[in-house]
Amino acid sequence: MFIVLLGAPGSGKGTVGEIIAKDLKLAHISTGDLFRENLKNKTELGKKAQEYMDNGELVPDEITIGMLSDRLKSDDVINGAVLDGFPRTKAQAISLDEMLNKIDAKVDMALNIDVPFDEIVERIANRRSCMGCNEIYNIVFNPPKIEGICDKCGAQLYQREDQKPEVVQNRLEVYSRTAEELIEYYKKANTLITKKAGDKVGKTSYDVAREVEELVNNK
Ligand code: ADP
Ligand code: ZN
């Protein structure tokens, strides 16, 4: 089974993705994490992606699609995957359908996590990432036990370059520009599920994950 996560930066995609991937025994594939790994290891691909990422722009489709296509060939994708951050453009969505078609699979569900914009801006400002394991914290709603230190692995937390206010603004603009066509695409394919979430709606990432798992298990 393949589940695609749509939703703005800061919508909780990462948290929801991690939970459902673990519970449904699917690989969790985050293109953002894959790019950051390449940056850290100073690979050719990382060098090509750096400038776009630093500015909060999308990395060009050829690079992104190639990277994802390689990742889908790994052994851990045997049962399927939760795709977090891919597709981000219609061209990527079309390529994904083609890639999955070749292995007799398809996108079974496109989950759109809909969180109010003002809440997203606030969340991103409060977000900290672990240098060691990429775990994400919110210093207000989900702080680590010891300030600045990851609960899971003990490494230091930091604010990602692309979580600084100017870049966040641009990432949100990029998101607004591209979200609509993806939502349309999956609406037409009859796989779109929208879940409203956020503090004002009274629904956390954990609630969303549980509802999705129920849906999958009752199919
Ligand atoms: P976000 O919190 O914005 O969802 P991600 O960690 O998913 O952040 O992605 C970080 C950056 O990696 C993006 O701003 C973009 O530059 C790049 N990126 C990730 N996924 C894609 C994609 N599918 N297409 C193009 N660029 C991508
Ligand atoms: Zn950690």
Side-chain angles (χ1 to χ4, degrees):
M1 139 164 276
F2 285 84
I3 300 176
V4 157
L5 302 180
L6 306 175
S11 62
K13 272 195 321 267
T15 310
V16 173
E18 220 174 274
I19 301 172
I20 60 180
K22 185 163 170 261
D23 291 347
L24 301 173
K25 301 193 168 42
L26 303 171
H28 180 214
I29 302 178
S30 153
T31 41
D33 283 350
L34 288 176
F35 278 130
R36 279 184 290 277
E37 230 163 78
N38 276 283
L39 283 189
K40 206 160 97 185
N41 298 329
K42 302 201 163 50
T43 66
E44 237 2 85
L45 190 133
K47 279 177 208 152
K48 283 186 199 152
Q50 172 121 51
E51 204 187 309
Y52 299 99
M53 294 181 72
D54 285 349
N55 293 318
E57 294 291 336
L58 292 182
V59 178
D61 282 341
E62 318 83 75
I63 302 175
T64 311
I65 291 169
M67 179 179 74
L68 185 90
S69 159
D70 286 345
R71 179 66 184 81
L72 285 180
K73 290 176 187 135
S74 303
D75 291 342
D76 67 329
V77 186
I78 183 117
N79 290 327
V82 177
L83 300 181
D84 168 0
F86 188 98
R88 286 262 231 294
T89 64
K90 193 171 166 188
Q92 290 180 11
I94 293 169
S95 304
L96 178 62
D97 284 346
E98 288 166 1
M99 287 183 247
L100 293 182
N101 200 11
K102 280 188 199 142
I103 54 169
D104 268 328
K106 60 181 170 37
V107 173
D108 298 280
M109 183 192 288
L111 173 65
N112 177 29
I113 307 173
D114 187 6
V115 176
F117 234 62
D118 50 344
E119 197 172 323
I120 283 193
V121 173
E122 199 181 297
R123 277 194 199 185
I124 297 180
N126 292 335
R127 187 143 93 169
R128 297 293 180 276
S129 305
C130 173
M131 290 188 145
C133 70
N134 291 326
E135 182 75 2
I136 292 168
Y137 295 86
N138 179 304
I139 53 175
V140 180
F141 299 110
N142 172 33
K145 293 197 183 78
I146 303 167
E147 197 185 314
I149 304 290
C150 177
D151 291 346
K152 277 199 173 163
C153 77
Q156 275 200 343
L157 304 185
Y158 72 110
Q159 186 169 39
R160 254 165 47 193
E161 200 53 42
D162 67 355
Q163 284 165 193
K164 309 230 155 114
E166 324 76 72
V167 184
V168 166
Q169 192 58 37
N170 195 35
R171 273 163 67 209
L172 289 174
E173 274 167 32
V174 168
Y175 173 76
S176 311
R177 261 206 314 273
T178 52
E180 201 54 44
E181 64 178 18
L182 284 177
I183 288 172
E184 275 312 308
Y185 186 86
Y186 289 111
K187 211 185 263 171
K188 276 200 191 121
N190 247 325
T191 46
L192 185 75
I193 289 187
T194 296
K195 294 272 176 207
K196 284 191 189 298
D199 296 324
K200 283 161 201 155
V201 189
K203 209 188 271 181
T204 65
S205 301
Y206 298 93
D207 298 328
V208 173
R210 205 178 43 237
E211 288 179 16
V212 170
E213 288 172 9
E214 259 164 39
L215 265 177
V216 170
N217 291 329
N218 290 334
K219 245 186 197 168

